[in-house]
Each structure stands twice: as C-alpha cells, then as structure tokens.
Amino acid sequence: MQNGTKADIVIIGGGIVGTAIARELSKYQLDVILIEKQPDIAVGTTKANSAILHAGFDAHPDTLKARLNVRGNAMYHELEKELNLDIKWTGSLVVAKTDEEMVTLQELLIRGRKNNVPGLEILNREEVLAREPHLSSSVKGALWAPSAGIFLPFGAAVAFANNAIKNGVRILTECPAEEIVTRAGKVIGVKTPQGLIQCDYIINAAGVHADEISRLAGDDSFTIAPRKGEYILFDRKVGNLVNTVIFPAPSKVSKGILVCPTVHGNIFIGPNAQDIANKEDISTSPTGMSEIIDRAQDLLPQLPIREAITQFSGIRAAADCGDFVIRNSTTAAGLIHAAGIQSPGLTAAPAIAEFVVEILKQNGLLLTAKSAFDPHNPPTVVFKELSLAEKQAVVAQNPLYGRVICRCETITEGEIVAAIQQPCGAKTVDGVKRRTRAGMGRCQGGFCGPRVTAILARELNIPVSQVRKETAASYLFYEKMPGDCEVAGHE
Amino acid sequence: MNKQLFDVVIIGGGPAGLAAAHSAKLNGAKKILIIERDRELGGILQQCIHNGFGLHRFQQELTGPGYAQRYIQLVKEHPEIEVLLDTMVLQVNKDKTVIAVNPKQGVFEVQGEAIVFTMGCRERTRGAIRIPGKRPAGVFTAGAAQRMVNMEGYLPGKKIVILGSGDIGLIMARRLTLEGADVQAVLEIMPYSNGLTRNIVQCLDDYNIPLHLAHTIIAIHGQERVTGVTCAKVDANMKPIAGTEFDIECDCVLLSVGLIPENELSEEVGIALDAKTNGPIVDQRRQTSIPGFFAAGNVVHVHDLVDFVSEEGEIAGKYAALFAQSKLPENYRTLHVMAENAIRTVVPQKIALDHVSLDAVRLFMRVGKPEENLMVEVTGAGEKVLASKRLPIAKPGEMIVLEIPIDKFADAGDSIAVTTRQVVKA
C-alpha cells in the first residue's frame, strides 16, 4: 500500500462488529477499507465468548443493548440464509432454584415483554425437566425464551468479511491504526505501518482497544473496562446432556455461569467474570476453572469433568457507562464509535451495523445503493455433513476432498484449501481451525497440526518456519539449527 | 457403489495391523485388506527414529522405521494382502461393512468377514489436563513434535520444558538435545516416572537433563510464543503446594501426559470397552464383545514395547482369519479375568475355551503404582494358583507378562483372578 491510498470510510477492527459494518456498507456505492492489526479477523472478543444469539430480556428497555439485541436477533434469520451461517435456534432457559429466583424470573419476563422479545413464558419444574432431564432436580422453574439460539461468532464474522470483500470492501490485515489524522477538527485519514489511508469517516470498532483508538483523536469520552470470562469445552460424547442454552438466575453483575450446547454438538460451561488490567490477558486460572466447574455442576450435577477437551478465556469489551457506545466522537468530526460492545454484542452486531449507517447518513454521507450488491456467499462444503453420494461427487470433482486431514472432526484437505483460498482466507493455523474445525476435536490438533502447517506453507507459498499459530509473531516451528550435534557437558 | 469382499479387513497399518495381516495370511485368509490413513505403512514407528525396538521379536536393536520395514516386507511378499494408503475409514457397521475415503477412489465400501481394529492411540492434550495460563504458539504434544523433527525436519523450539515423563517425552528430551536445543527440565506430576527405566537413563541422565518428580506446570506464559512456565511441587493429591513455585524460561512446552486408545470407530459399532484400559474388552484371541470384530495393539491397551504389539497383532490376525473361514466355534465357555490388589489392568479380560483356541494364554498386566517385592498370582476356583511370578520391582510403566497353558483353565471355574501379595525380600 502506498501513501495516497484513499477511501470514503475506514473501519478499524475486524471483529464481528467491524465486519458486520463492512458488509452493511458494501451495499452502497462507497469505497470502504477495513483495517485489522492481527494477521486474521475475528481474533479478539469475537473468537472467545458464549456464542449465543440472545433473546433480549436482560437489558433495560431504554438501552441501546435492549433495542439492538432484539433487532439483531431477528436479522440473523435472514443472514442465516444469505450467508450460510451455522445457527441452531435452540431457545434458552433461565433456571430458578429458589423462590427468590422465581421472583427474578418474573422480573425478566416483564422486562423481556417490554423489549418485545417474542414467545417468553415461565415453565414449572416438570416442564423444565421434560425439556432438560439432566438438570439438577432442585430446579423450581425457568424462563423459556424460544427466540434464543447458538451460532459461530467467528464463522459469522468471516462470512460478513467474505461477503463484504465480494462486494468491493478491502480488508487489510496486520495493519494497526497508529494515528488518526485530523484537520480543523475533522478526520482526514489513518496512519498505519502500511501507509496513510486518506478518508472522510473512521468507524471505531476496535473492541477492547476502542478507547485507545478514541484517544488517538483526543476523545476520552469513554473507557473500556476489560472483563475476562473463562470457559471449558467438553467432548461431543457428552453433548446430549443439554438441548438448550441454560442460564442460572442472574445476579446483579452477570448473567452467571451457563451450560450451553455448541452448534457442533459439544457443550461448554462458563464464563465467570473478572475485571482485569491487561487487555491481552487471556490466561485461564485454576481458581477460575474450579469456580465455573462448581457453578456448572449446580445446574448439571452429572457433568463429567474428564470429558473436558480444552479451556479458554475471552475478554468482554465493556464500556464504563454500561451500555453500547455507538455515536459520533465528541472531538473529531467523521469519527464514529461502535464501542463498548459486550454481551449481547454478537446478537446485536447486524443491528449495530444498520445503526452506524444511520449515523453516517445523519452526518450527511450520501448513500446510493449498489445495484450489483450480492447478499449471498457461496455454500461451503462440509464433507462430514454430506450424504455418501454427495461425498462421492465432491471427491470426483476435487480429489483433495478425499484426503482427511483432521481425523477427530473429519475435515478434508479440500475444506482446508478452500478456507485458505476464500476471499477473507485463513493465513494461520488457528485461522484454518476457526474456518473449518480442523484441530478443534478431542486431539486438539495433535495429529493434524503439522499437516495443516504444511498445507498453509504450500498454499501461501511461504516456508514452514513462517507459518504462524495466530498472532503476528506466533511462529510455530524453527528451521533446524546448523552445525554439529556435539552436546555440551556430555562425557 | 460396488462393494469388494475381503476375508479380513484391518483398520490401521501400524505394527499391530501389519502383524495381523501377515498372520491372517499364514492362517489361511485368502483376501486381506489393510486400510492406512497415512501415505506409508508403519504407523508411529516411522517417526520413532531412535533404536531400542525389536529386542524380544528379533533379538536385535532396531530403529522404529527399521522394525516397521521388516513387517512391511513380510506384508509385501504376499499378494493376498492388499494395502490402501492415504485412506481414512469413515464408518464401520455391525454387518462388517467399512466405508472409507481416499483421493483416488473417493468414498467406497468394502465388506469383511472379520474386522481387525488396529487404530493405535492418540496423545492426551493440554486441554484434557487443563494447564492454566495463556495459549501462545509453542505448546505441542511430544508425538506431534517428534513428527515435525524426525519426518518434516523442523524444530518445535530451542529452549524446551517437557511435562510428563512418559516414554515419548523422554525420547524427545534426548532427540531435541541432539538437535541442539536446550532441554531445561522434564516435570512429572507423579512421584515416579511412567517411562521405561532404560529411557530415563539413556535420555535424561546421560545428558544431565533434570527430572523433577511430583512437579507440574501451573501456568504457561507468553503472548505470541511461549516465554516460560511456572512450575510447582505437588502434594499427595497432585495439588500444587503454595510457596514451591519457580519459573523456567523456555520457548516451547512439550506434553507427554499419556496416551488414549483411539476407539471412536469401535464405540460406534457398539463394542464394549474396559474403563481402565480405554480399549475394547477382548478374549485371549483378541476377539471383542461382538463376534468377528478383533482388536490388537495400542487400541486395546497402551503398550510400552512394540514387540508385544506385534505379538498381539499376530494373535488377532490369526483368529480373525479362522473366524473368516468359519473355523471358530460359535459356542464356547468364557472365563472372566479379574484384576485385583496391586494389578490395575489386565489383557485379555476374558478367556474363551473351545477346541480350536489352544495357544497358551499370555496375560499382560500393569500395576497401579510402583511396588516392591511383589508376588503376582493367577488363581482359579478354590484359590488354586494357576501361575505365579515374583517381582522385586514392579512399575506402572513396565508391562508384566505371565504365560499360562490353556489346559490349566479347564477346571478354573467361571472366573480367574490376577492378584498380588507382598513377599519378604529374598
């Protein structure tokens, strides 16, 4: 990229919010660039969270969270078809175990109805256990929200990005925003290590770093208070223990530690909530692990801990005001924040994108629909889910679909190559994993890791020693050391 | 889809599968198929370039590929044995049809008269043992690292900490040292190592690599690449002891924390597994709970010597061949083999008594923890001792083998017990 690159709009941040905005803007005759500091998109909060499409009864009716949650949830029904998203509309239960918690359910029911959440009802003990027979028998009742669902947040972000690129958006990775350039109080560009991008508008969708981006324009009107949540993922073998998203009755500070199925038939437990100082601190802790195991077993006493396959943590990008911060900057004209996007941000993302476009319009940006806009992504081949005849057909067309690389999840070389070659293609081992599931199974990449690394090196035409796990310098393997193999100190 | 018919279909072309194929041929099977997912036969042996294989089988110290080659040669000599490489089995059905896929043929189905499971095992991962901390690049299972170093020619790191003193961990400590890497330490959460004694001596002691017993990693550090680990001593319940923490700088953590038999296919068919071995429950012929399905090698129980894997493969191959030729009686009496006292696992878990299966029975056992001055006894009805063996030292990492002639079981009752008692030092 050379100095002098121009765009109408630069989006900072390639999480689900940034990519949803990119895709929304790609409907109009605009020149849009999305910049992401990491080698791949969706590697911040979007990759590690509860992956739930919330119904929308949690937030208070006068908040942006409430409004955009319910709207976003509805929008995913259309997006599911257009972008081939992996969504299961499982519904959710908030489970009460005491009379006091039953009162909380009533409050949630009233709030949810004010928020226009469809289909809410309170179930009695028998009705709950009929739906979820493995729940603790001490359950008294539950709030049933049929519109809730589970999905793949990074899958959705990649789908938004692929569709945005298809419709003309450019995505630049390893391209952090270093400076916001203004003239007379108005945004004129973004400086990056790849050069200056001149633009009229900047959208700040930088997740946990959104306050730092805001500061680049001298705007300290909000602060992100990062809050960590830890999770444990379980093998598919125990996936039949729950059918729906199961929350405990909420406390003042969080929705509590839940037990939740995933779209791929695993279950996870978590998250806890821990305010942290370092925004990159995605470590897990023994105390955190015990806390979520204990709380999850309150809901699901039979949960077998030995079936755990991995643990991870994610960081909520909570703003100090408690609500989403989606508005014009207080200091720089042309800078629009889409910040403080914590739960229910994944659900709200498409509605946030619409809202940002609305703000741009109010700011005077001329929006002309693009006649060539194609809302659809081509279907992706998921070998494992095909019938025998379909499997036969894809292998006949491309023999790479006949070579299974990830044995735990039955992911073929064809799928991996497609993940690397798609418009917003994988560049890292974790990027392949998120797009295809290769390495997500019970052996956690022990078998396929070296093979995926070799395929990435081949497809990206780089040496194996340049293949990365995830972040810019997360190289996996070294070239062998030259020289003799005399061992020091060996007699 | 036209379905090819085979007497014996073997899933997995590692040492167990190779031995099973050769033995099936010697025992009369006319059409044998080995399905192997890798691009060559030999399984994990191909990445085990160190020596120490074959002392029992060939009275010779071979490398892993050298040992594999002997069996590959035997298999190649027989046109009755067909091999499909680069082929993954997707599904095995109760009617002994096998659905597999490869780039050349696509998805196809074969029909066996008998099936032999020889899928081996996989490594336990960081997630399975829940090591806290960050998730930077540089954390590998020891076996994955071994493949990268020995087959692909890359190093997983330059300053290494190994968690777990299983044999692969020990072997990799030496291997990486020879490659010029600096192996800082091997940590073992148990108060003893599960590796073979010879490996501790030849792979750690000879290179001055410290082994910290009763220690574990309590945190992995590093944002992009591993920068270090925090370790701690553990108490008798394997919980870290506060105040014993220390840090080791490293750019790589290798995990050698156990192997799990790979039984997803067997489980899908509905074969009964032993909760202790994580492998199918088998009789001495290595027939599983479903007639016609046999199993051998690390898929049954994790071995420490490939020689025993080959032996087990030969047994499974022989009886699978007999089954395919309808030479195995359908009705027979079964004895259950119980593991008691210090014995944690025993294979086979059953003994079939018929007029065909006349080979002597070799019981393969492991103790649950290190023991000294142990008398291992196999007892039948009325506490009658069928066989015994005195062991000055018994370790979980070293398999105990006891051979019993089949006729001894004739009046042993419905079950026999493998039991132990403490004896005074000789």
Side-chain angles (χ1 to χ4, degrees):
Chain A
M1 197 173 85
Q2 290 169 348
N3 281 346
T5 301
K6 282 185 185 170
D8 297 313
I9 302 169
V10 170
I11 302 164
I12 301 173
I16 194 158
V17 174
T19 55
I21 294 169
R23 197 258 181 174
E24 190 62 31
L25 287 172
S26 75
K27 295 174 178 172
Y28 303 99
Q29 292 178 24
L30 294 168
D31 198 352
V32 179
I33 295 178
L34 184 152
I35 61 173
E36 164 58 50
K37 73 171 178 177
Q38 298 289 356
D40 196 5
I41 63 156
V43 299
T45 299
T46 305
K47 82 166 176 184
N49 50 66
S50 302
I52 294 168
L53 292 171
H54 290 283
F57 50 77
D58 293 288
H60 282 279
D62 51 350
T63 58
L64 273 178
K65 280 184 177 175
R67 194 175 110 203
L68 298 176
N69 180 345
V70 176
R71 168 78 184 139
N73 181 297
M75 289 173 80
Y76 271 103
H77 285 275
E78 186 65 26
L79 292 167
E80 182 181 8
K81 284 175 246 150
E82 288 177 346
L83 302 177
N84 302 303
L85 301 183
D86 239 336
I87 302 180
K88 282 187 185 154
W89 298 99
T90 56
S92 69
L93 290 168
V94 182
V95 174
K97 294 173 83 176
T98 63
D99 291 337
E100 206 184 338
E101 290 179 344
M102 287 301 287
V103 175
T104 308
L105 297 192
Q106 285 296 338
E107 289 166 11
L108 289 177
L109 177 71
I110 293 164
R111 201 191 296 164
R113 286 183 175 156
K114 271 193 196 152
N115 290 350
N116 296 317
V117 179
L120 292 177
E121 60 178 305
I122 303 266
L123 306 182
N124 65 27
R125 181 174 183 274
E126 287 64 39
E127 290 167 326
V128 178
L129 291 175
R131 279 180 194 277
E132 295 292 349
H134 297 103
L135 276 190
S136 159
S137 55
S138 60
V139 49
K140 290 213 155 179
L143 174 66
W144 166 241
S147 64
I150 52 177
F151 79 132
L152 288 176
F154 45 79
V158 169
F160 287 140
N162 279 331
N163 195 246
I165 293 172
K166 186 176 188 181
N167 289 298
V169 172
R170 282 176 287 170
I171 294 185
L172 304 175
T173 53
E174 297 189 63
C175 189
E178 293 177 321
E179 210 178 299
I180 289 179
V181 187
T182 56
R183 186 181 296 151
K186 176 152 186 6
V187 160
I188 56 163
V190 184
K191 255 191 198 159
T192 77
Q194 297 180 29
L196 173 74
I197 309 171
Q198 295 179 35
C199 62
D200 300 326
Y201 291 95
I202 295 174
I203 297 163
N204 172 13
V208 292
H209 299 290
D211 54 349
E212 296 155 46
I213 296 297
S214 178
R215 301 293 184 277
L216 292 180
D219 178 350
D220 56 6
S221 59
F222 68 94
T223 300
I224 300 293
R227 197 182 307 140
K228 184 162 81 174
E230 293 168 90
Y231 296 88
I232 301 177
L233 183 73
F234 289 81
D235 197 289
R236 278 204 305 269
K237 273 187 210 162
V238 296
N240 56 2
L241 285 177
V242 293
N243 306 308
T244 53
V245 180
I246 297 170
F247 299 96
S251 69
K252 293 238 154 39
V253 292
S254 105
K255 295 190 185 89
I257 285 159
L258 49 140
V259 178
C260 186
T262 73
V263 287
H264 295 116
N266 305 74
I267 56 175
F268 74 81
I269 61 174
N272 54 2
Q274 195 187 341
D275 290 319
I276 51 168
N278 177 358
K279 290 173 177 175
E280 311 287 343
D281 177 16
I282 49 164
S283 60
T284 52
S285 66
T287 45
M289 294 293 107
S290 330
E291 177 190 0
I292 62 175
I293 288 170
D294 290 349
R295 292 288 81 76
Q297 287 185 330
D298 286 345
L299 290 172
L300 198 67
Q302 298 170 30
L303 183 72
I305 301 308
R306 70 192 149 82
E307 298 296 347
I309 53 178
T310 190
Q311 70 277 343
F312 59 92
S313 73
I315 300 181
R316 305 168 179 93
D320 45 1
C321 65
D323 200 3
F324 296 158
V325 178
I326 310 172
R327 55 166 170 77
N328 285 311
S329 159
T330 53
T331 58
L335 172 63
I336 297 158
H337 301 304
I341 313 297
Q342 59 166 320
S343 178
L346 300 168
T347 320
I352 292 170
E354 270 187 351
F355 190 52
V356 166
V357 172
E358 190 55 36
I359 293 172
L360 283 165
K361 203 165 144 189
Q362 282 168 12
N363 286 352
L365 180 69
L366 187 64
L367 295 168
T368 310
K370 203 185 275 173
S371 58
F373 174 74
D374 179 356
H376 298 281
N377 278 351
T380 17
V381 173
V382 181
F383 183 77
K384 187 182 181 175
E385 289 168 10
L386 301 178
S387 70
L388 281 183
E390 290 167 332
K391 282 179 178 150
Q392 193 64 271
V394 297
V395 183
Q397 211 174 43
N398 179 356
L400 293 184
Y401 284 101
R403 180 173 295 130
V404 176
I405 299 293
C406 166
R407 60 179 175 189
C408 302
E409 299 295 324
T410 319
I411 310 298
T412 62
E413 187 166 359
E415 291 162 274
I416 292 168
V417 170
I420 298 168
Q421 290 179 347
Q422 63 187 220
C424 182
K427 297 184 186 74
T428 61
V429 172
D430 282 2
V432 168
K433 172 163 106 174
R434 278 193 295 275
R435 283 171 183 77
T436 63
R437 292 186 61 66
M440 273 198 193
R442 46 183 73 92
C443 94
Q444 289 285 300
F447 178 77
C448 68
R451 289 161 176 85
V452 170
T453 303
I455 296 170
L456 271 164
R458 184 189 74 205
E459 295 296 318
L460 299 176
N461 198 21
I462 54 174
V464 164
S465 56
Q466 292 302 305
V467 176
R468 294 170 290 185
K469 177 175 186 281
E470 172 83 293
T471 49
S474 61
Y475 298 105
L476 284 158
F477 299 103
Y478 300 102
E479 300 288 344
K480 282 196 178 177
M481 289 176 234
D484 62 45
C485 51
E486 193 73 32
V487 179
H490 182 54
E491 286 134 45
Chain B
M1 244 183 283
N2 56 339
K3 197 162 43 171
Q4 254 195 298
L5 303 179
F6 292 89
D7 291 334
V8 181
V9 176
I10 296 162
I11 302 173
L18 291 168
H22 184 240
S23 158
K25 149 74 190 116
L26 297 184
N27 285 282
K30 296 282 182 297
K31 231 170 136 14
I32 299 156
L33 175 66
I34 302 176
I35 303 179
E36 166 56 41
R37 67 174 177 223
D38 219 325
R39 292 174 200 213
E40 59 186 333
L41 290 170
I44 297 299
L45 282 176
Q46 298 289 11
Q47 68 185 50
C48 299
I49 63 170
H50 52 281
N51 59 353
F53 299 90
L55 284 169
H56 292 247
R57 279 272 108 169
F58 301 110
Q59 287 76 49
Q60 237 179 314
E61 245 198 322
L62 303 170
T63 63
Y67 186 100
Q69 197 54 39
R70 297 223 173 178
Y71 274 95
I72 293 170
Q73 216 52 50
L74 288 176
V75 161
K76 282 191 174 161
E77 281 164 14
H78 300 291
E80 295 90 340
I81 304 172
E82 205 177 304
V83 176
L84 285 174
L85 298 175
D86 203 6
T87 304
M88 183 70 95
V89 171
L90 299 174
Q91 196 183 322
V92 180
N93 299 314
K94 249 188 176 135
D95 63 3
K96 305 192 187 77
T97 52
V98 176
I99 299 169
V101 64
N102 68 30
K104 272 191 200 147
Q105 292 152 280
V107 183
F108 59 93
E109 203 172 346
V110 294
Q111 172 78 56
E113 290 294 332
I115 306 286
V116 184
F117 289 125
T118 49
M119 290 88 75
C121 57
R122 65 165 178 271
E123 300 179 277
R124 288 182 78 202
T125 65
R126 174 181 179 181
I129 56 169
R130 294 199 300 281
I131 306 175
K134 299 191 177 179
R135 294 154 62 86
V139 183
F140 303 95
T141 55
Q146 189 177 44
R147 185 180 172 99
M148 280 316 278
V149 177
N150 292 348
M151 296 184 76
E152 316 291 337
Y154 295 92
L155 285 184
K158 295 179 177 176
K159 236 179 179 182
I160 316 237
V161 169
I162 300 176
L163 178 64
S165 62
D167 287 312
I168 313 172
L170 300 175
I171 294 287
M172 284 310 289
R174 174 176 64 185
R175 185 76 194 96
L176 287 165
T177 304
L178 295 176
E179 283 294 342
D182 189 359
V183 180
Q184 305 282 78
V186 176
L187 304 168
E188 170 59 59
I189 196 166
M190 304 301 284
Y192 53 86
S193 165
N194 270 322
L196 295 172
T197 308
R198 72 169 193 224
N199 282 336
I200 293 176
V201 175
Q202 295 171 6
C203 300
L204 299 189
D205 298 353
D206 283 2
Y207 300 90
N208 300 320
I209 298 168
L211 169 63
H212 300 289
L213 297 175
H215 276 77
T216 193
I217 292 176
I218 58 169
I220 294 176
H221 308 294
Q223 198 64 43
E224 306 223 31
R225 178 85 201 181
V226 173
T227 56
V229 293
T230 302
C231 313
K233 200 170 168 43
V234 297
D235 63 20
N237 300 314
M238 293 191 277
K239 296 275 177 245
I241 302 169
T244 64
E245 299 87 357
F246 59 97
D247 287 351
I248 305 179
E249 203 180 288
C250 60
D251 66 357
C252 175
V253 177
L254 294 189
L255 302 175
S256 175
V257 291
L259 299 168
I260 306 168
E262 194 110 72
N263 275 294
E264 281 67 33
L265 290 173
S266 347
E267 278 184 284
E268 277 168 33
V269 196
I271 282 166
L273 299 189
D274 178 333
K276 282 185 183 163
T277 57
N278 289 315
I281 295 171
V282 292
D283 61 28
Q284 86 278 22
R285 308 168 300 186
R286 301 305 186 269
Q287 180 163 258
T288 66
S289 61
I290 304 180
F293 286 88
F294 296 78
N298 284 348
V299 82
V300 175
H301 55 147
V302 177
H303 292 67
D304 31 61
L305 297 178
V306 69
D307 310 65
F308 291 160
V309 169
S310 299
E311 178 182 329
E312 196 160 83
E314 282 167 7
I315 297 170
K318 169 181 172 177
Y319 288 101
L322 295 180
F323 183 94
Q325 299 164 77
S326 305
K327 286 182 181 168
L328 274 194
E330 280 177 35
N331 298 308
Y332 50 86
R333 193 157 76 83
T334 306
L335 291 184
H336 292 270
V337 186
M338 315 302 222
E340 290 178 2
N341 299 342
I343 302 294
R344 184 170 178 271
T345 62
V346 58
V347 170
Q349 296 90 338
K350 291 195 253 176
I351 292 165
L353 298 176
D354 62 39
H355 62 276
V356 179
S357 313
L358 300 177
D359 297 325
V361 175
R362 273 156 65 84
L363 296 176
F364 292 85
M365 298 160 281
R366 282 189 198 281
V367 287
K369 58 180 179 52
E371 305 280 348
E372 281 181 19
N373 301 314
L374 207 62
M375 180 65 88
V376 183
E377 290 175 338
V378 182
T379 58
E383 304 291 301
K384 191 179 161 196
V385 177
L386 307 178
S388 66
K389 189 172 200 168
R390 189 177 175 149
L391 299 167
I393 290 174
K395 288 177 163 188
E398 295 184 8
M399 194 100 81
I400 303 166
V401 187
L402 248 178
E403 185 168 312
I404 307 171
I406 192 81
D407 52 17
K408 285 221 176 184
F409 296 104
D411 50 2
D414 294 333
S415 73
I416 57 165
V418 186
T419 147
T420 58
R421 61 189 168 84
Q422 219 62 45
V423 289
V424 282
K425 232 182 230 171

